Amino acid sequence: IFYIFMYLVSFIFVMYTNLFILKRKSRLMKFLLAIIGRVRGLLRNKSDKGSVNRRAGEESSAISRCSFNTDTTHLMYSGSFPLRIGAVVFGVASMVHSGLNFAYFFQVRDGNAQCHHPVQAIKPFMHLTFTFTQLYFIFLHSKLVFTHQKCIARLGLMHLCCTNLAVWFRCIILETLDVLSGYHHRGSGKTGPENVTEIPLIKSSAASRKLLGIPESHLILISLPMNNSNVFPELSCFWSDIFGKFVQTAGPYLYPCKIQYSLICAAIVYAMWRNVGRKPSSRDQNDSDNSRRLDCSSSFRGLFAGILVAVGTVITMVAFYVLVTLHPMSSTAIILIHVSETTMFLLMTASIILVADRMKNMKFKHVSWKFSVELHLLFLSFAGVFAFAVFGVIAAAFETHKPKGVLNILTNLFMILQSTMQVLFIVAGTKLISANELQEQRKRGREYVMFLILCNFALWLMNTFETQQPEHNPVQMDFYGPLAWSVLTHITVPLSIYFRFHSSVCLINIWRFAWRYRSPRETERESSC
């Protein structure tokens, strides 16, 4: 009920903004406002036609004055165009996930009484509606400035932001409990009291028992309400075999898209909330996303090298799934994937060093600091990458006598190195422009940026389809146990996946705008990517 309330209020705010504020100049809205004025006049027993018309006009003008600034020449920066394209892509995947959950309700074949309750169908339907309306609002109106009715604007935008964060939090909890219930049904857990499942926190790792000082015969158990229909009734419902298997197969690949969509929308809406009542500056009004045609010069070598890496990534992914299917306990698939990841991290690190050397003579834009949607999302997602890698190094440190442990340490250390250098390059690269016309013509280092864009996209694919699989992280699974590692992965892996996508967005902006020469009279575009 709480989430239905959140969705409903968000939907009302978005529809109110679109219908009564942004469309107030349309003929339909003028007609509706005139009707409202006439009805109010009649209710006040004003029978005089002229008086009624006059009051209708006053009502219409009064509502029009209490409006938002819709002049497209006065805009505030709240996210680049590639970021909004990413919101569209992830929003579509999120709507597909919600649609599948909505179809769940009509496929119930067993479960408790709440499985057949209409609320179980209303929740995913409301989320689908909320996702679509918010996506439409953000894609078209994210740069508008709210100049009137600021109290309503701030309240509505903050409610939208909180709704996205609540969806993110609930999605993580649901997917984590769903994975743990899968362990229970496969017999890895132990059934305790009624409606309680005991899941082993430390499974069988000798290294983890030694680290925590746990005796060999002792097993740490934690009780979870896996079948508590009052909290999460979705986990105790049984669906038709064909449809249920399809949704369970697609779920691990769709839920990260829902999390990434929620993060993007929360950041954009928060930027809009900060801009409420602010007077746009000349720099904010100078939106140059479409000011010049796309120039692909000095990028073709990086483009084809990146395509080659992407093809190799796809081949590695196919080989990984084939080896895991044929030999589930074989270490060949793990060694293959770690070698490929380490190679990519080394190539990307070398590319960052080379492009930094090529761009060292470019001009630095001295601009004042302001809230940047892209940079804040970059730092947040980088925290997920760093946490995932650190937990991996800790687990592999007790398996150094095995090849898998050594490769795991190398892969995670190179991941930290490459990600850190990439974040520093993005922060610096967004502030650089060509110092003279010669640099604009030569565009030295631009091919390396293109190569980094495609490599990050390849890693995004790899993380989406491989990193979440238990077979990809056997060392961590054995060390932390199913419960702890499931919680860690469902928090850090979606952020790691989004880090690769968002890095591509920021690098695209560097690729587009860094090699442009501006005369001393021209002002810098933005202080963020």
Short mmCIF file of all heavy atoms in Angstrom, two decimals, residues 88 292 306 395 422 525:
data_model
loop_
_atom_site.label_atom_id
_atom_site.label_comp_id
_atom_site.label_asym_id
_atom_site.label_seq_id
_atom_site.Cartn_x
_atom_site.Cartn_y
_atom_site.Cartn_z
N VAL A 88 16.01 6.34 -20.99
CA VAL A 88 15.00 5.73 -21.85
C VAL A 88 15.24 4.23 -21.98
O VAL A 88 14.31 3.42 -21.85
CB VAL A 88 14.99 6.41 -23.23
CG1 VAL A 88 14.09 5.65 -24.20
CG2 VAL A 88 14.54 7.86 -23.12
N ARG A 292 26.46 21.96 -32.72
CA ARG A 292 27.32 21.68 -33.86
C ARG A 292 27.08 20.26 -34.33
O ARG A 292 26.62 19.40 -33.59
CB ARG A 292 28.80 21.85 -33.48
CG ARG A 292 29.15 23.24 -32.96
CD ARG A 292 30.65 23.36 -32.80
NE ARG A 292 31.02 24.63 -32.20
CZ ARG A 292 32.27 25.03 -32.05
NH1 ARG A 292 33.26 24.27 -32.45
NH2 ARG A 292 32.54 26.19 -31.49
N GLY A 306 38.21 -0.72 -30.63
CA GLY A 306 37.17 -1.00 -29.66
C GLY A 306 36.18 -2.05 -30.13
O GLY A 306 35.71 -2.89 -29.35
N ALA A 395 38.51 -12.00 -0.04
CA ALA A 395 38.18 -13.42 -0.14
C ALA A 395 39.30 -14.21 -0.82
O ALA A 395 39.63 -15.32 -0.39
CB ALA A 395 36.87 -13.60 -0.91
N GLN A 422 40.35 6.12 -14.40
CA GLN A 422 39.30 6.57 -15.32
C GLN A 422 38.46 7.67 -14.69
O GLN A 422 38.09 8.64 -15.37
CB GLN A 422 38.41 5.38 -15.71
CG GLN A 422 37.32 5.73 -16.70
CD GLN A 422 36.66 4.48 -17.25
OE1 GLN A 422 37.15 3.83 -18.16
NE2 GLN A 422 35.53 4.12 -16.69
N ARG A 525 31.19 26.11 -21.78
CA ARG A 525 29.85 25.54 -21.91
C ARG A 525 29.28 25.17 -20.55
O ARG A 525 28.34 25.74 -20.05
CB ARG A 525 29.89 24.30 -22.81
CG ARG A 525 28.52 23.65 -23.01
CD ARG A 525 28.65 22.43 -23.89
NE ARG A 525 29.50 21.43 -23.27
CZ ARG A 525 29.05 20.46 -22.51
NH1 ARG A 525 27.77 20.35 -22.27
NH2 ARG A 525 29.89 19.59 -21.98
#
